[in-house]
Amino acid sequence: MKTILIAYVAAGLAFLIVDAIWLTTMADSLYRPLLGDKLEPQFKLAPAVFFYLIYIGGIVFFAVMPALAGGGLPKAALNGAVLGIVAYATYDLTNHATLRDWPLAVTLADIPWGAFVTAVGASAGFAAASKFSG
C-alpha cells in the first residue's frame, strides 16, 4: 500500500505540474481561439479534481505497477504514453465525431500531449516508488 501511495502522489504531482504549464501556456494560443464559446467562461474545479484523481489512479494501475513488477522506467514511460494516447484520443476523437465544429487542430495537439504528460507522470510515479518504498 505504501508503494501505491508513493507512486500516486509522485505521479499526481508530476502530472499536475506539467499539465498546468501546458494549460496556462496553450489556453490563449490554442484552446480559446479555436474553441471560443464552447469553453466555459469560468473554470469548474470539481470536475477537474475528479478527473485528476481518477486519471492518476489509472496511471498508477496501468503504467507504474506493471513497471514495478518488471521492466523498469522504460516500461512505465511506454505504458504511460500508450494510456495517454488511448485516453486523450477517446476524448478528442469522440468530440470530433459528435460536436459541431470541433477543431482538428485541438485533436492533433491533445493526443500527443496526452501521451507525453501521462508518460511523465508514470515515470515520476515509478521513480519515486522505486526509490522510497524500500
Side-chain angles (χ1 to χ4, degrees), residues 8-64:
Y8 189 92
V9 170
L13 286 173
F15 189 96
L16 284 168
I17 290 167
V18 176
D19 205 36
I21 293 167
W22 169 264
L23 291 173
T24 56
T25 302
M26 300 306 288
D28 290 332
S29 63
L30 175 68
Y31 296 109
R32 220 167 279 300
L34 293 175
L35 296 173
D37 63 354
K38 290 179 192 70
L39 291 175
E40 283 287 346
Q42 194 63 277
F43 176 76
K44 293 181 180 178
L45 183 60
V49 168
F50 285 123
F51 162 75
Y52 285 111
L53 291 173
I54 293 165
Y55 196 67
I56 300 308
I59 292 171
V60 172
F61 185 83
F62 291 110
V64 176

Side-chain angles (χ1 to χ4, degrees), residues 1 8 13 22 26 33 37-38 43 48 66 81 88 90 92 105 111 123 126 133:
M1 186 64 171
Y8 189 92
L13 286 173
W22 169 264
M26 300 306 288
D37 63 354
K38 290 179 192 70
F43 176 76
Y88 281 66
T90 299
D92 281 288
I111 294 171
S123 297
F126 173 84
S133 66

Side-chain angles (χ1 to χ4, degrees), residues 105-124:
V106 171
T107 298
L108 295 177
D110 274 355
I111 294 171
W113 172 250
F116 174 76
V117 71
T118 307
V120 168
S123 297

